[in-house]
């Protein structure tokens, strides 16, 4: 996930992230395989 840039999606661009919002992150994770998604504890 890190190689795809998904881990820094919600981090502001000035700090090296993508600067995306939570909805964009949800859409990106929706397309990922279930084994790679974070699970609630």
């Amino acid at each position: 996930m890190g190689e795809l840039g998904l881990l820094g999606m919600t981090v502001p661009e000035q700090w090296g992230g993508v600067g995306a919002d939570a909805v964009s992150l949800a859409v990106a994770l929706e397309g990922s395989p279930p084994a790679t998604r974070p699970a609630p504890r």
Side-chain angles (χ1 to χ4, degrees):
M1 289 178 65
E3 292 176 1
L4 298 174
L6 296 176
L7 298 179
M9 282 189 70
T10 57
V11 175
E13 289 183 41
Q14 65 189 21
W15 294 338
V18 177
D21 59 358
V23 174
S24 299
L25 177 61
V27 170
L29 290 177
E30 183 178 10
S32 67
T36 62
R37 296 183 200 151
R41 295 181 183 221

